[in-house]
Amino acid sequence: MRLVSLRALPVALTAAWSCLAAESAIAATAAEPAQVAEAAQQVRDQVVTWRRDIHQHPELGQHEVRTAKLIADQLRKLGLQPRTGIAHTGVIAVLKGGKPGPRIAIRADMDALPVTEPAGLPFASQVKADYRGQPVGVMHACGHDAHVAILLGVATALAAQKEQLPGEVMFVFQPAEEGPPVAGAPFGAAMMLSEGVFKAFKPEAVFGLHVWAGLSVGEVGYRSGPMLASADEWSLTVRGKQTHGSRPWDGVDPITVGAQILLASQSLIARQVNIAATPVVLTAGQFNAGVRFNIIPDEAKLVGTLRTFDVAVREDVIARLRRTAEDYAHAAGASAELQVVNNAPATINDPALTRRVLPSLQRAAGEARVKESAMVTVAEDFSQFANTVPGFYFFVGSTAAGIDPAKAPINHSPQFLLDEGALEVGTKTMLQVALDYLHGG
């Protein structure tokens, strides 16, 4: 797709203009793919502008103040009445169509990651922040900037045909999908639900998408049933006895015990869990202990993640890890304490809803470009919404033509680079899904 530079884009372009353009593109037969594609194209430049603005000004979870204001301002321009401050910085708004029909919700996540962005893009982030006590760069390395821009584009196109639209649509802009600033604190989708986001307005179905480096631009990925893994954040504290490094026999070395537990955890997955039946990943991302080269410390701490697709398997692995840690620690005269916090259950696409929505994806993207995905061990707290009402989540390819998606830097990498052609594809597919559902397709 041809991309327009920021300077060439009409900065004064308003959502009202987009509404008028989209209105001419969507006629009474609202779900005609050609007309949906035209509506997405009409809002394309504005979607690109929104995405670049948000990308240049990323904000960590529960700190998305500027992003939330941008969203609320645009929704007000569409004649909607956004509700703000949900789960700290979340924004919702309901579009009521002029005709009776179903209720649906469409969700986009807003937060960035504690990742330093390399220079190169004219709208690259230079934001710095503090994350869990450490100074960090901040970058939209996962594509949530694109998700917000796409949903604003969908809202603009739907608002343009409000009088002809059957039913109601809730637009959900969710903070802190990547987790809370403090481990174990309430956050994100679960927090929005606890604050009643689906209480007064309970949708029949909820939809979400994710731009995905593992697919080329123009491709769309879906799966019925389990699609994304459950994500647990675990921390293991091993307590020993401090002593001089030259006399280890006078103390109990928690570093050695922690290392033994870490290696044993990998054997646990390889030899005790049937990963042929369902994927399981157990990873340590931090191992912290000590302050000096010749002092064995009192304590060592490991922090990591567990990814599973089955609740029973998850509980079994946690029990095995706890038993393994305690047994290794006991053998050395140490102690081990395991704490596990579930940040997101598995994302499971409702099979009946998947069958209903799949033709919409195929109409919007072309049947040959809609591909069934394997289960993916990344996680998404969209699952919280999808555990409340039937949900459907899909991938939108973001890797540029000519680049092998299998070799492209994956989401969360500082080298992650979104081809902005994904913005139009995302707008078009989500708009098609919403209109087909509302019109009974």
Side-chain angles (χ1 to χ4, degrees), residues 296-328:
I296 292 173
D298 276 324
E299 186 175 289
K301 188 170 184 178
L302 290 85
V303 181
T305 186
L306 170 65
R307 303 301 170 102
T308 56
F309 292 87
D310 182 275
V311 173
V313 171
R314 171 185 176 270
E315 293 175 351
D316 178 64
V317 172
I318 291 171
R320 289 177 185 275
L321 177 59
R322 178 172 284 111
R323 182 173 65 245
T324 298
E326 291 174 350
D327 286 353
Y328 268 92

PDB file of all heavy atoms in Angstrom, residues 296-328:
ATOM      1  N   ILE A 296      28.725 -15.598  49.893  1.00  0.00           N
ATOM      2  CA  ILE A 296      27.541 -16.397  49.563  1.00  0.00           C
ATOM      3  C   ILE A 296      26.351 -15.756  50.280  1.00  0.00           C
ATOM      4  O   ILE A 296      26.375 -15.603  51.502  1.00  0.00           O
ATOM      5  CB  ILE A 296      27.728 -17.860  50.007  1.00  0.00           C
ATOM      6  CG1 ILE A 296      28.820 -18.527  49.154  1.00  0.00           C
ATOM      7  CG2 ILE A 296      26.414 -18.633  49.901  1.00  0.00           C
ATOM      8  CD1 ILE A 296      29.201 -19.909  49.630  1.00  0.00           C
ATOM      9  N   PRO A 297      25.294 -15.358  49.550  1.00  0.00           N
ATOM     10  CA  PRO A 297      24.204 -14.607  50.179  1.00  0.00           C
ATOM     11  C   PRO A 297      23.227 -15.512  50.918  1.00  0.00           C
ATOM     12  O   PRO A 297      23.274 -16.743  50.814  1.00  0.00           O
ATOM     13  CB  PRO A 297      23.522 -13.939  48.987  1.00  0.00           C
ATOM     14  CG  PRO A 297      23.730 -14.910  47.870  1.00  0.00           C
ATOM     15  CD  PRO A 297      25.100 -15.513  48.101  1.00  0.00           C
ATOM     16  N   ASP A 298      22.353 -14.864  51.643  1.00  0.00           N
ATOM     17  CA  ASP A 298      21.288 -15.582  52.339  1.00  0.00           C
ATOM     18  C   ASP A 298      20.208 -16.078  51.379  1.00  0.00           C
ATOM     19  O   ASP A 298      19.531 -17.067  51.667  1.00  0.00           O
ATOM     20  CB  ASP A 298      20.613 -14.662  53.368  1.00  0.00           C
ATOM     21  CG  ASP A 298      21.366 -14.615  54.690  1.00  0.00           C
ATOM     22  OD1 ASP A 298      21.918 -15.657  55.089  1.00  0.00           O
ATOM     23  OD2 ASP A 298      21.394 -13.540  55.317  1.00  0.00           O
ATOM     24  N   GLU A 299      20.027 -15.368  50.264  1.00  0.00           N
ATOM     25  CA  GLU A 299      18.818 -15.580  49.462  1.00  0.00           C
ATOM     26  C   GLU A 299      19.109 -15.462  47.976  1.00  0.00           C
ATOM     27  O   GLU A 299      19.953 -14.679  47.546  1.00  0.00           O
ATOM     28  CB  GLU A 299      17.774 -14.533  49.886  1.00  0.00           C
ATOM     29  CG  GLU A 299      16.407 -14.686  49.276  1.00  0.00           C
ATOM     30  CD  GLU A 299      15.418 -13.677  49.867  1.00  0.00           C
ATOM     31  OE1 GLU A 299      15.042 -13.834  51.044  1.00  0.00           O
ATOM     32  OE2 GLU A 299      15.052 -12.714  49.152  1.00  0.00           O
ATOM     33  N   ALA A 300      18.398 -16.236  47.191  1.00  0.00           N
ATOM     34  CA  ALA A 300      18.409 -16.134  45.729  1.00  0.00           C
ATOM     35  C   ALA A 300      16.963 -16.150  45.245  1.00  0.00           C
ATOM     36  O   ALA A 300      16.106 -16.802  45.856  1.00  0.00           O
ATOM     37  CB  ALA A 300      19.189 -17.291  45.099  1.00  0.00           C
ATOM     38  N   LYS A 301      16.713 -15.420  44.164  1.00  0.00           N
ATOM     39  CA  LYS A 301      15.343 -15.338  43.662  1.00  0.00           C
ATOM     40  C   LYS A 301      15.314 -15.562  42.164  1.00  0.00           C
ATOM     41  O   LYS A 301      16.068 -14.945  41.415  1.00  0.00           O
ATOM     42  CB  LYS A 301      14.726 -13.984  44.004  1.00  0.00           C
ATOM     43  CG  LYS A 301      13.240 -13.898  43.686  1.00  0.00           C
ATOM     44  CD  LYS A 301      12.618 -12.641  44.270  1.00  0.00           C
ATOM     45  CE  LYS A 301      11.110 -12.619  44.038  1.00  0.00           C
ATOM     46  NZ  LYS A 301      10.467 -11.416  44.633  1.00  0.00           N
ATOM     47  N   LEU A 302      14.442 -16.447  41.749  1.00  0.00           N
ATOM     48  CA  LEU A 302      14.195 -16.698  40.330  1.00  0.00           C
ATOM     49  C   LEU A 302      12.785 -16.232  39.995  1.00  0.00           C
ATOM     50  O   LEU A 302      11.858 -16.429  40.790  1.00  0.00           O
ATOM     51  CB  LEU A 302      14.315 -18.188  39.994  1.00  0.00           C
ATOM     52  CG  LEU A 302      15.705 -18.825  40.041  1.00  0.00           C
ATOM     53  CD1 LEU A 302      16.045 -19.257  41.464  1.00  0.00           C
ATOM     54  CD2 LEU A 302      15.769 -20.027  39.102  1.00  0.00           C
ATOM     55  N   VAL A 303      12.639 -15.617  38.832  1.00  0.00           N
ATOM     56  CA  VAL A 303      11.340 -15.147  38.364  1.00  0.00           C
ATOM     57  C   VAL A 303      11.160 -15.618  36.930  1.00  0.00           C
ATOM     58  O   VAL A 303      12.102 -15.553  36.124  1.00  0.00           O
ATOM     59  CB  VAL A 303      11.225 -13.611  38.435  1.00  0.00           C
ATOM     60  CG1 VAL A 303       9.851 -13.145  37.968  1.00  0.00           C
ATOM     61  CG2 VAL A 303      11.506 -13.114  39.846  1.00  0.00           C
ATOM     62  N   GLY A 304       9.970 -16.089  36.608  1.00  0.00           N
ATOM     63  CA  GLY A 304       9.767 -16.586  35.250  1.00  0.00           C
ATOM     64  C   GLY A 304       8.316 -16.676  34.870  1.00  0.00           C
ATOM     65  O   GLY A 304       7.432 -16.120  35.530  1.00  0.00           O
ATOM     66  N   THR A 305       8.071 -17.392  33.777  1.00  0.00           N
ATOM     67  CA  THR A 305       6.713 -17.520  33.261  1.00  0.00           C
ATOM     68  C   THR A 305       6.406 -18.975  32.940  1.00  0.00           C
ATOM     69  O   THR A 305       7.288 -19.753  32.558  1.00  0.00           O
ATOM     70  CB  THR A 305       6.515 -16.652  32.002  1.00  0.00           C
ATOM     71  OG1 THR A 305       5.142 -16.681  31.608  1.00  0.00           O
ATOM     72  CG2 THR A 305       7.358 -17.133  30.835  1.00  0.00           C
ATOM     73  N   LEU A 306       5.155 -19.334  33.095  1.00  0.00           N
ATOM     74  CA  LEU A 306       4.629 -20.646  32.722  1.00  0.00           C
ATOM     75  C   LEU A 306       3.538 -20.433  31.697  1.00  0.00           C
ATOM     76  O   LEU A 306       2.625 -19.626  31.911  1.00  0.00           O
ATOM     77  CB  LEU A 306       4.078 -21.375  33.945  1.00  0.00           C
ATOM     78  CG  LEU A 306       3.285 -22.662  33.681  1.00  0.00           C
ATOM     79  CD1 LEU A 306       4.175 -23.746  33.077  1.00  0.00           C
ATOM     80  CD2 LEU A 306       2.627 -23.167  34.964  1.00  0.00           C
ATOM     81  N   ARG A 307       3.604 -21.149  30.587  1.00  0.00           N
ATOM     82  CA  ARG A 307       2.597 -21.043  29.535  1.00  0.00           C
ATOM     83  C   ARG A 307       1.943 -22.414  29.314  1.00  0.00           C
ATOM     84  O   ARG A 307       2.642 -23.400  29.053  1.00  0.00           O
ATOM     85  CB  ARG A 307       3.218 -20.552  28.220  1.00  0.00           C
ATOM     86  CG  ARG A 307       3.950 -19.206  28.342  1.00  0.00           C
ATOM     87  CD  ARG A 307       3.024 -18.106  28.814  1.00  0.00           C
ATOM     88  NE  ARG A 307       3.722 -16.897  29.147  1.00  0.00           N
ATOM     89  CZ  ARG A 307       3.782 -15.813  28.361  1.00  0.00           C
ATOM     90  NH1 ARG A 307       3.207 -15.831  27.179  1.00  0.00           N
ATOM     91  NH2 ARG A 307       4.412 -14.734  28.777  1.00  0.00           N
ATOM     92  N   THR A 308       0.625 -22.456  29.429  1.00  0.00           N
ATOM     93  CA  THR A 308      -0.136 -23.688  29.238  1.00  0.00           C
ATOM     94  C   THR A 308      -1.435 -23.382  28.512  1.00  0.00           C
ATOM     95  O   THR A 308      -1.851 -22.225  28.423  1.00  0.00           O
ATOM     96  CB  THR A 308      -0.458 -24.355  30.593  1.00  0.00           C
ATOM     97  OG1 THR A 308      -1.142 -23.402  31.419  1.00  0.00           O
ATOM     98  CG2 THR A 308       0.799 -24.822  31.305  1.00  0.00           C
ATOM     99  N   PHE A 309      -2.105 -24.420  28.030  1.00  0.00           N
ATOM    100  CA  PHE A 309      -3.381 -24.266  27.339  1.00  0.00           C
ATOM    101  C   PHE A 309      -4.515 -25.001  28.050  1.00  0.00           C
ATOM    102  O   PHE A 309      -5.662 -24.881  27.660  1.00  0.00           O
ATOM    103  CB  PHE A 309      -3.275 -24.791  25.894  1.00  0.00           C
ATOM    104  CG  PHE A 309      -2.388 -23.961  25.018  1.00  0.00           C
ATOM    105  CD1 PHE A 309      -1.027 -24.190  24.968  1.00  0.00           C
ATOM    106  CD2 PHE A 309      -2.907 -22.933  24.248  1.00  0.00           C
ATOM    107  CE1 PHE A 309      -0.200 -23.422  24.167  1.00  0.00           C
ATOM    108  CE2 PHE A 309      -2.100 -22.153  23.437  1.00  0.00           C
ATOM    109  CZ  PHE A 309      -0.743 -22.397  23.398  1.00  0.00           C
ATOM    110  N   ASP A 310      -4.181 -25.766  29.065  1.00  0.00           N
ATOM    111  CA  ASP A 310      -5.153 -26.600  29.751  1.00  0.00           C
ATOM    112  C   ASP A 310      -5.059 -26.337  31.253  1.00  0.00           C
ATOM    113  O   ASP A 310      -3.963 -26.360  31.823  1.00  0.00           O
ATOM    114  CB  ASP A 310      -4.875 -28.079  29.443  1.00  0.00           C
ATOM    115  CG  ASP A 310      -5.865 -29.012  30.091  1.00  0.00           C
ATOM    116  OD1 ASP A 310      -5.650 -29.360  31.271  1.00  0.00           O
ATOM    117  OD2 ASP A 310      -6.845 -29.395  29.432  1.00  0.00           O
ATOM    118  N   VAL A 311      -6.190 -26.097  31.896  1.00  0.00           N
ATOM    119  CA  VAL A 311      -6.201 -25.742  33.316  1.00  0.00           C
ATOM    120  C   VAL A 311      -5.614 -26.866  34.167  1.00  0.00           C
ATOM    121  O   VAL A 311      -4.812 -26.615  35.089  1.00  0.00           O
ATOM    122  CB  VAL A 311      -7.637 -25.408  33.771  1.00  0.00           C
ATOM    123  CG1 VAL A 311      -7.681 -25.209  35.275  1.00  0.00           C
ATOM    124  CG2 VAL A 311      -8.151 -24.157  33.060  1.00  0.00           C
ATOM    125  N   ALA A 312      -5.990 -28.108  33.880  1.00  0.00           N
ATOM    126  CA  ALA A 312      -5.493 -29.240  34.675  1.00  0.00           C
ATOM    127  C   ALA A 312      -3.978 -29.398  34.525  1.00  0.00           C
ATOM    128  O   ALA A 312      -3.263 -29.686  35.496  1.00  0.00           O
ATOM    129  CB  ALA A 312      -6.206 -30.522  34.274  1.00  0.00           C
ATOM    130  N   VAL A 313      -3.480 -29.215  33.298  1.00  0.00           N
ATOM    131  CA  VAL A 313      -2.033 -29.307  33.063  1.00  0.00           C
ATOM    132  C   VAL A 313      -1.313 -28.194  33.817  1.00  0.00           C
ATOM    133  O   VAL A 313      -0.258 -28.407  34.420  1.00  0.00           O
ATOM    134  CB  VAL A 313      -1.732 -29.240  31.553  1.00  0.00           C
ATOM    135  CG1 VAL A 313      -0.235 -29.103  31.305  1.00  0.00           C
ATOM    136  CG2 VAL A 313      -2.269 -30.484  30.854  1.00  0.00           C
ATOM    137  N   ARG A 314      -1.874 -26.992  33.777  1.00  0.00           N
ATOM    138  CA  ARG A 314      -1.282 -25.862  34.507  1.00  0.00           C
ATOM    139  C   ARG A 314      -1.134 -26.198  35.990  1.00  0.00           C
ATOM    140  O   ARG A 314      -0.060 -26.019  36.581  1.00  0.00           O
ATOM    141  CB  ARG A 314      -2.147 -24.619  34.332  1.00  0.00           C
ATOM    142  CG  ARG A 314      -1.747 -23.444  35.207  1.00  0.00           C
ATOM    143  CD  ARG A 314      -2.721 -22.278  35.090  1.00  0.00           C
ATOM    144  NE  ARG A 314      -2.357 -21.219  36.013  1.00  0.00           N
ATOM    145  CZ  ARG A 314      -2.787 -21.111  37.264  1.00  0.00           C
ATOM    146  NH1 ARG A 314      -3.639 -22.025  37.758  1.00  0.00           N
ATOM    147  NH2 ARG A 314      -2.384 -20.110  38.030  1.00  0.00           N
ATOM    148  N   GLU A 315      -2.191 -26.667  36.606  1.00  0.00           N
ATOM    149  CA  GLU A 315      -2.157 -26.974  38.040  1.00  0.00           C
ATOM    150  C   GLU A 315      -1.154 -28.089  38.333  1.00  0.00           C
ATOM    151  O   GLU A 315      -0.445 -28.043  39.354  1.00  0.00           O
ATOM    152  CB  GLU A 315      -3.554 -27.356  38.514  1.00  0.00           C
ATOM    153  CG  GLU A 315      -4.543 -26.190  38.473  1.00  0.00           C
ATOM    154  CD  GLU A 315      -5.949 -26.597  38.837  1.00  0.00           C
ATOM    155  OE1 GLU A 315      -6.209 -27.824  38.959  1.00  0.00           O
ATOM    156  OE2 GLU A 315      -6.813 -25.703  38.987  1.00  0.00           O
ATOM    157  N   ASP A 316      -1.074 -29.070  37.454  1.00  0.00           N
ATOM    158  CA  ASP A 316      -0.136 -30.173  37.654  1.00  0.00           C
ATOM    159  C   ASP A 316       1.316 -29.692  37.582  1.00  0.00           C
ATOM    160  O   ASP A 316       2.152 -30.074  38.413  1.00  0.00           O
ATOM    161  CB  ASP A 316      -0.385 -31.247  36.596  1.00  0.00           C
ATOM    162  CG  ASP A 316       0.590 -32.407  36.704  1.00  0.00           C
ATOM    163  OD1 ASP A 316       0.565 -33.104  37.744  1.00  0.00           O
ATOM    164  OD2 ASP A 316       1.380 -32.608  35.768  1.00  0.00           O
ATOM    165  N   VAL A 317       1.623 -28.830  36.602  1.00  0.00           N
ATOM    166  CA  VAL A 317       2.996 -28.337  36.455  1.00  0.00           C
ATOM    167  C   VAL A 317       3.392 -27.482  37.652  1.00  0.00           C
ATOM    168  O   VAL A 317       4.517 -27.584  38.164  1.00  0.00           O
ATOM    169  CB  VAL A 317       3.149 -27.561  35.132  1.00  0.00           C
ATOM    170  CG1 VAL A 317       4.515 -26.871  35.071  1.00  0.00           C
ATOM    171  CG2 VAL A 317       2.983 -28.497  33.936  1.00  0.00           C
ATOM    172  N   ILE A 318       2.481 -26.631  38.111  1.00  0.00           N
ATOM    173  CA  ILE A 318       2.785 -25.800  39.285  1.00  0.00           C
ATOM    174  C   ILE A 318       3.072 -26.675  40.506  1.00  0.00           C
ATOM    175  O   ILE A 318       4.024 -26.432  41.252  1.00  0.00           O
ATOM    176  CB  ILE A 318       1.623 -24.827  39.566  1.00  0.00           C
ATOM    177  CG1 ILE A 318       1.537 -23.770  38.463  1.00  0.00           C
ATOM    178  CG2 ILE A 318       1.789 -24.154  40.926  1.00  0.00           C
ATOM    179  CD1 ILE A 318       0.311 -22.898  38.540  1.00  0.00           C
ATOM    180  N   ALA A 319       2.264 -27.722  40.705  1.00  0.00           N
ATOM    181  CA  ALA A 319       2.481 -28.623  41.838  1.00  0.00           C
ATOM    182  C   ALA A 319       3.829 -29.339  41.726  1.00  0.00           C
ATOM    183  O   ALA A 319       4.558 -29.490  42.718  1.00  0.00           O
ATOM    184  CB  ALA A 319       1.348 -29.642  41.920  1.00  0.00           C
ATOM    185  N   ARG A 320       4.178 -29.755  40.513  1.00  0.00           N
ATOM    186  CA  ARG A 320       5.454 -30.442  40.306  1.00  0.00           C
ATOM    187  C   ARG A 320       6.634 -29.491  40.528  1.00  0.00           C
ATOM    188  O   ARG A 320       7.662 -29.877  41.106  1.00  0.00           O
ATOM    189  CB  ARG A 320       5.511 -31.045  38.902  1.00  0.00           C
ATOM    190  CG  ARG A 320       4.581 -32.240  38.709  1.00  0.00           C
ATOM    191  CD  ARG A 320       4.621 -32.748  37.272  1.00  0.00           C
ATOM    192  NE  ARG A 320       3.654 -33.818  37.048  1.00  0.00           N
ATOM    193  CZ  ARG A 320       3.884 -35.101  37.302  1.00  0.00           C
ATOM    194  NH1 ARG A 320       5.066 -35.491  37.787  1.00  0.00           N
ATOM    195  NH2 ARG A 320       2.957 -36.004  37.071  1.00  0.00           N
ATOM    196  N   LEU A 321       6.513 -28.259  40.056  1.00  0.00           N
ATOM    197  CA  LEU A 321       7.595 -27.289  40.244  1.00  0.00           C
ATOM    198  C   LEU A 321       7.775 -26.980  41.728  1.00  0.00           C
ATOM    199  O   LEU A 321       8.910 -26.908  42.222  1.00  0.00           O
ATOM    200  CB  LEU A 321       7.285 -26.009  39.471  1.00  0.00           C
ATOM    201  CG  LEU A 321       8.303 -24.868  39.624  1.00  0.00           C
ATOM    202  CD1 LEU A 321       9.692 -25.314  39.160  1.00  0.00           C
ATOM    203  CD2 LEU A 321       7.848 -23.633  38.844  1.00  0.00           C
ATOM    204  N   ARG A 322       6.681 -26.807  42.433  1.00  0.00           N
ATOM    205  CA  ARG A 322       6.776 -26.526  43.875  1.00  0.00           C
ATOM    206  C   ARG A 322       7.444 -27.697  44.612  1.00  0.00           C
ATOM    207  O   ARG A 322       8.334 -27.494  45.443  1.00  0.00           O
ATOM    208  CB  ARG A 322       5.381 -26.248  44.441  1.00  0.00           C
ATOM    209  CG  ARG A 322       5.381 -26.001  45.942  1.00  0.00           C
ATOM    210  CD  ARG A 322       4.034 -25.540  46.441  1.00  0.00           C
ATOM    211  NE  ARG A 322       3.779 -24.136  46.113  1.00  0.00           N
ATOM    212  CZ  ARG A 322       2.874 -23.715  45.246  1.00  0.00           C
ATOM    213  NH1 ARG A 322       2.093 -24.600  44.622  1.00  0.00           N
ATOM    214  NH2 ARG A 322       2.723 -22.429  45.002  1.00  0.00           N
ATOM    215  N   ARG A 323       7.020 -28.922  44.292  1.00  0.00           N
ATOM    216  CA  ARG A 323       7.595 -30.097  44.953  1.00  0.00           C
ATOM    217  C   ARG A 323       9.089 -30.233  44.626  1.00  0.00           C
ATOM    218  O   ARG A 323       9.912 -30.512  45.516  1.00  0.00           O
ATOM    219  CB  ARG A 323       6.845 -31.355  44.538  1.00  0.00           C
ATOM    220  CG  ARG A 323       7.358 -32.623  45.240  1.00  0.00           C
ATOM    221  CD  ARG A 323       6.476 -33.820  44.941  1.00  0.00           C
ATOM    222  NE  ARG A 323       6.490 -34.195  43.530  1.00  0.00           N
ATOM    223  CZ  ARG A 323       5.424 -34.115  42.720  1.00  0.00           C
ATOM    224  NH1 ARG A 323       4.267 -33.670  43.181  1.00  0.00           N
ATOM    225  NH2 ARG A 323       5.521 -34.490  41.454  1.00  0.00           N
ATOM    226  N   THR A 324       9.449 -30.015  43.378  1.00  0.00           N
ATOM    227  CA  THR A 324      10.849 -30.106  42.966  1.00  0.00           C
ATOM    228  C   THR A 324      11.702 -29.084  43.710  1.00  0.00           C
ATOM    229  O   THR A 324      12.785 -29.403  44.221  1.00  0.00           O
ATOM    230  CB  THR A 324      10.962 -29.875  41.443  1.00  0.00           C
ATOM    231  OG1 THR A 324      10.247 -30.903  40.763  1.00  0.00           O
ATOM    232  CG2 THR A 324      12.421 -29.881  40.985  1.00  0.00           C
ATOM    233  N   ALA A 325      11.204 -27.842  43.776  1.00  0.00           N
ATOM    234  CA  ALA A 325      11.961 -26.779  44.448  1.00  0.00           C
ATOM    235  C   ALA A 325      12.133 -27.085  45.935  1.00  0.00           C
ATOM    236  O   ALA A 325      13.243 -26.946  46.496  1.00  0.00           O
ATOM    237  CB  ALA A 325      11.244 -25.443  44.255  1.00  0.00           C
ATOM    238  N   GLU A 326      11.070 -27.506  46.580  1.00  0.00           N
ATOM    239  CA  GLU A 326      11.138 -27.776  48.019  1.00  0.00           C
ATOM    240  C   GLU A 326      12.051 -28.962  48.316  1.00  0.00           C
ATOM    241  O   GLU A 326      12.804 -28.945  49.310  1.00  0.00           O
ATOM    242  CB  GLU A 326       9.732 -28.014  48.561  1.00  0.00           C
ATOM    243  CG  GLU A 326       8.876 -26.738  48.564  1.00  0.00           C
ATOM    244  CD  GLU A 326       7.432 -26.998  48.972  1.00  0.00           C
ATOM    245  OE1 GLU A 326       7.051 -28.199  49.058  1.00  0.00           O
ATOM    246  OE2 GLU A 326       6.688 -26.029  49.196  1.00  0.00           O
ATOM    247  N   ASP A 327      12.000 -29.980  47.459  1.00  0.00           N
ATOM    248  CA  ASP A 327      12.825 -31.167  47.707  1.00  0.00           C
ATOM    249  C   ASP A 327      14.314 -30.858  47.521  1.00  0.00           C
ATOM    250  O   ASP A 327      15.160 -31.295  48.330  1.00  0.00           O
ATOM    251  CB  ASP A 327      12.408 -32.312  46.787  1.00  0.00           C
ATOM    252  CG  ASP A 327      11.079 -32.945  47.199  1.00  0.00           C
ATOM    253  OD1 ASP A 327      10.566 -32.580  48.277  1.00  0.00           O
ATOM    254  OD2 ASP A 327      10.561 -33.782  46.437  1.00  0.00           O
ATOM    255  N   TYR A 328      14.676 -30.132  46.459  1.00  0.00           N
ATOM    256  CA  TYR A 328      16.082 -29.760  46.257  1.00  0.00           C
ATOM    257  C   TYR A 328      16.568 -28.882  47.402  1.00  0.00           C
ATOM    258  O   TYR A 328      17.692 -29.044  47.900  1.00  0.00           O
ATOM    259  CB  TYR A 328      16.260 -29.036  44.922  1.00  0.00           C
ATOM    260  CG  TYR A 328      16.596 -29.948  43.768  1.00  0.00           C
ATOM    261  CD1 TYR A 328      15.602 -30.490  42.972  1.00  0.00           C
ATOM    262  CD2 TYR A 328      17.915 -30.270  43.478  1.00  0.00           C
ATOM    263  CE1 TYR A 328      15.900 -31.334  41.908  1.00  0.00           C
ATOM    264  CE2 TYR A 328      18.240 -31.109  42.412  1.00  0.00           C
ATOM    265  CZ  TYR A 328      17.224 -31.640  41.637  1.00  0.00           C
ATOM    266  OH  TYR A 328      17.538 -32.475  40.594  1.00  0.00           O
TER     267      TYR A 328
END
